[in-house]
Amino acid sequence: MDAGADIHEPCPLPGGPSHVAIIMDGNGRWAQARGRPRLYGHHAGAQRVREIVETCPGLGVKYLTIFAFSTENWKRTQTEVAGLMSLFRRYITKEARALREEGVRVRFIGDRVRLDEKLVTLMDELELMTAGNDLVHLTVAINYGSRDEVTRATKRLAMDVAKGSLEPENVDEETLPRYLDTCVLPDPDLVIRTSGEARISNFLLWQSAYAEYEFIDTLWPDFDSALFARLIRDYGRRDRRFGAVTA
Ligand code: FPP
């Protein structure tokens, strides 16, 4: 082994996905099936996040992006929204040190303007304290919606045109992604949605143009590392052609 190589760096699975994005759905139904309030399901779901993040290096998954709260989720009851925001605050506070020590770089995407100040401060701090990590890049989408993201990106792009730093004729397919929240991330290779719904619900619409999709029946709190590993292996058997024809 190269003496300078990082011993924690995994050998990627041949043909495995480098970037996996997950729509973590089914927490509410999981709780209801147990006669418990919906927030009980969200707490169980939060515990799964740690397990899946820890599995990533061994599977060669370098980037994991998870959908924690959408721009549409504000329509839920005030109790559920407040409970989720409190869960995010507690999760960051509790997990920050372990994430840093395990080599995880955490980023948040979504519009922070509507989030409470205390949560935004915790998000900023966690991004800063893990900024030197590179083993796994965990991106958490909070108050995220693709249409909102593209709208915000377009506004900034238009402002650059207005002030003369961008020429309209130079705008091409590489331009808009530089204004998206995900500008430093590669596009997802695989998008997984749990709970049996076959929808993408406004998640990474631009970025997932060529992604493979897995819609699985398992509810998010039951999604474990063995199932995750199986989906990663199944992905390796897919033939991604990006519109081209292969022999
Ligand atoms: C969808 O299930 C799930 C959410 C809206 C919240 C996702 C949040 C977590 C998994 C927990 C926290 C995450 C972090 C990063 C701490 P649903 O409520 O729509 O389920 P249902 O479709 O069964 O009602």
PDB file of all heavy atoms in Angstrom, residues 15-28:
ATOM      1  N   GLY A  15     -17.959  -0.536  -9.768  1.00  0.00           N
ATOM      2  CA  GLY A  15     -19.223  -0.106 -10.383  1.00  0.00           C
ATOM      3  C   GLY A  15     -20.267   0.384  -9.403  1.00  0.00           C
ATOM      4  O   GLY A  15     -21.414   0.589  -9.775  1.00  0.00           O
ATOM      5  N   GLY A  16     -19.896   0.542  -8.147  1.00  0.00           N
ATOM      6  CA  GLY A  16     -20.874   0.984  -7.152  1.00  0.00           C
ATOM      7  C   GLY A  16     -21.147   2.476  -7.267  1.00  0.00           C
ATOM      8  O   GLY A  16     -20.388   3.200  -7.901  1.00  0.00           O
ATOM      9  N   PRO A  17     -22.257   2.942  -6.664  1.00  0.00           N
ATOM     10  CA  PRO A  17     -22.569   4.364  -6.751  1.00  0.00           C
ATOM     11  C   PRO A  17     -21.696   5.179  -5.813  1.00  0.00           C
ATOM     12  O   PRO A  17     -21.468   4.782  -4.675  1.00  0.00           O
ATOM     13  CB  PRO A  17     -24.036   4.419  -6.315  1.00  0.00           C
ATOM     14  CG  PRO A  17     -24.200   3.244  -5.403  1.00  0.00           C
ATOM     15  CD  PRO A  17     -23.242   2.187  -5.879  1.00  0.00           C
ATOM     16  N   SER A  18     -21.222   6.306  -6.285  1.00  0.00           N
ATOM     17  CA  SER A  18     -20.420   7.171  -5.433  1.00  0.00           C
ATOM     18  C   SER A  18     -21.339   8.090  -4.618  1.00  0.00           C
ATOM     19  O   SER A  18     -21.068   8.423  -3.486  1.00  0.00           O
ATOM     20  CB  SER A  18     -19.491   7.976  -6.338  1.00  0.00           C
ATOM     21  OG  SER A  18     -19.016   9.086  -5.663  1.00  0.00           O
ATOM     22  N   HIS A  19     -22.457   8.489  -5.236  1.00  0.00           N
ATOM     23  CA  HIS A  19     -23.381   9.400  -4.551  1.00  0.00           C
ATOM     24  C   HIS A  19     -24.776   8.769  -4.485  1.00  0.00           C
ATOM     25  O   HIS A  19     -25.387   8.503  -5.517  1.00  0.00           O
ATOM     26  CB  HIS A  19     -23.436  10.734  -5.315  1.00  0.00           C
ATOM     27  CG  HIS A  19     -24.262  11.778  -4.632  1.00  0.00           C
ATOM     28  ND1 HIS A  19     -24.332  13.073  -5.078  1.00  0.00           N
ATOM     29  CD2 HIS A  19     -25.053  11.740  -3.520  1.00  0.00           C
ATOM     30  CE1 HIS A  19     -25.136  13.779  -4.294  1.00  0.00           C
ATOM     31  NE2 HIS A  19     -25.590  12.980  -3.339  1.00  0.00           N
ATOM     32  N   VAL A  20     -25.230   8.534  -3.268  1.00  0.00           N
ATOM     33  CA  VAL A  20     -26.569   7.978  -3.058  1.00  0.00           C
ATOM     34  C   VAL A  20     -27.427   9.036  -2.365  1.00  0.00           C
ATOM     35  O   VAL A  20     -26.992   9.656  -1.394  1.00  0.00           O
ATOM     36  CB  VAL A  20     -26.511   6.696  -2.188  1.00  0.00           C
ATOM     37  CG1 VAL A  20     -27.918   6.148  -1.951  1.00  0.00           C
ATOM     38  CG2 VAL A  20     -25.635   5.635  -2.852  1.00  0.00           C
ATOM     39  N   ALA A  21     -28.619   9.242  -2.889  1.00  0.00           N
ATOM     40  CA  ALA A  21     -29.555  10.184  -2.264  1.00  0.00           C
ATOM     41  C   ALA A  21     -30.772   9.384  -1.781  1.00  0.00           C
ATOM     42  O   ALA A  21     -31.207   8.451  -2.455  1.00  0.00           O
ATOM     43  CB  ALA A  21     -29.987  11.242  -3.279  1.00  0.00           C
ATOM     44  N   ILE A  22     -31.261   9.739  -0.600  1.00  0.00           N
ATOM     45  CA  ILE A  22     -32.374   8.957  -0.033  1.00  0.00           C
ATOM     46  C   ILE A  22     -33.547   9.845   0.384  1.00  0.00           C
ATOM     47  O   ILE A  22     -33.374  10.839   1.096  1.00  0.00           O
ATOM     48  CB  ILE A  22     -31.913   8.135   1.199  1.00  0.00           C
ATOM     49  CG1 ILE A  22     -30.669   7.292   0.882  1.00  0.00           C
ATOM     50  CG2 ILE A  22     -33.047   7.239   1.699  1.00  0.00           C
ATOM     51  CD1 ILE A  22     -30.208   6.395   2.031  1.00  0.00           C
ATOM     52  N   ILE A  23     -34.726   9.452  -0.077  1.00  0.00           N
ATOM     53  CA  ILE A  23     -35.972  10.068   0.412  1.00  0.00           C
ATOM     54  C   ILE A  23     -36.459   9.142   1.527  1.00  0.00           C
ATOM     55  O   ILE A  23     -36.921   8.024   1.278  1.00  0.00           O
ATOM     56  CB  ILE A  23     -37.019  10.190  -0.720  1.00  0.00           C
ATOM     57  CG1 ILE A  23     -36.448  11.019  -1.879  1.00  0.00           C
ATOM     58  CG2 ILE A  23     -38.317  10.809  -0.181  1.00  0.00           C
ATOM     59  CD1 ILE A  23     -37.342  11.090  -3.129  1.00  0.00           C
ATOM     60  N   MET A  24     -36.302   9.609   2.758  1.00  0.00           N
ATOM     61  CA  MET A  24     -36.570   8.761   3.938  1.00  0.00           C
ATOM     62  C   MET A  24     -38.061   8.850   4.268  1.00  0.00           C
ATOM     63  O   MET A  24     -38.479   9.701   5.039  1.00  0.00           O
ATOM     64  CB  MET A  24     -35.743   9.263   5.121  1.00  0.00           C
ATOM     65  CG  MET A  24     -34.261   9.418   4.833  1.00  0.00           C
ATOM     66  SD  MET A  24     -33.336  10.065   6.271  1.00  0.00           S
ATOM     67  CE  MET A  24     -33.900  11.755   6.346  1.00  0.00           C
ATOM     68  N   ASP A  25     -38.846   7.984   3.700  1.00  0.00           N
ATOM     69  CA  ASP A  25     -40.298   8.096   3.863  1.00  0.00           C
ATOM     70  C   ASP A  25     -40.846   6.931   4.688  1.00  0.00           C
ATOM     71  O   ASP A  25     -40.286   5.835   4.671  1.00  0.00           O
ATOM     72  CB  ASP A  25     -40.941   8.110   2.465  1.00  0.00           C
ATOM     73  CG  ASP A  25     -42.378   8.607   2.499  1.00  0.00           C
ATOM     74  OD1 ASP A  25     -42.805   9.151   3.542  1.00  0.00           O
ATOM     75  OD2 ASP A  25     -43.074   8.460   1.486  1.00  0.00           O
ATOM     76  N   GLY A  26     -41.944   7.196   5.376  1.00  0.00           N
ATOM     77  CA  GLY A  26     -42.658   6.123   6.065  1.00  0.00           C
ATOM     78  C   GLY A  26     -42.558   6.165   7.589  1.00  0.00           C
ATOM     79  O   GLY A  26     -43.078   5.264   8.263  1.00  0.00           O
ATOM     80  N   ASN A  27     -41.961   7.222   8.134  1.00  0.00           N
ATOM     81  CA  ASN A  27     -41.841   7.316   9.593  1.00  0.00           C
ATOM     82  C   ASN A  27     -43.211   7.358  10.275  1.00  0.00           C
ATOM     83  O   ASN A  27     -43.427   6.720  11.311  1.00  0.00           O
ATOM     84  CB  ASN A  27     -41.097   8.595  10.001  1.00  0.00           C
ATOM     85  CG  ASN A  27     -39.667   8.612   9.525  1.00  0.00           C
ATOM     86  OD1 ASN A  27     -39.133   7.594   9.108  1.00  0.00           O
ATOM     87  ND2 ASN A  27     -39.034   9.777   9.591  1.00  0.00           N
ATOM     88  N   GLY A  28     -44.116   8.138   9.669  1.00  0.00           N
ATOM     89  CA  GLY A  28     -45.448   8.300  10.259  1.00  0.00           C
ATOM     90  C   GLY A  28     -46.201   6.980  10.302  1.00  0.00           C
ATOM     91  O   GLY A  28     -46.768   6.596  11.335  1.00  0.00           O
TER      92      GLY A  28
END
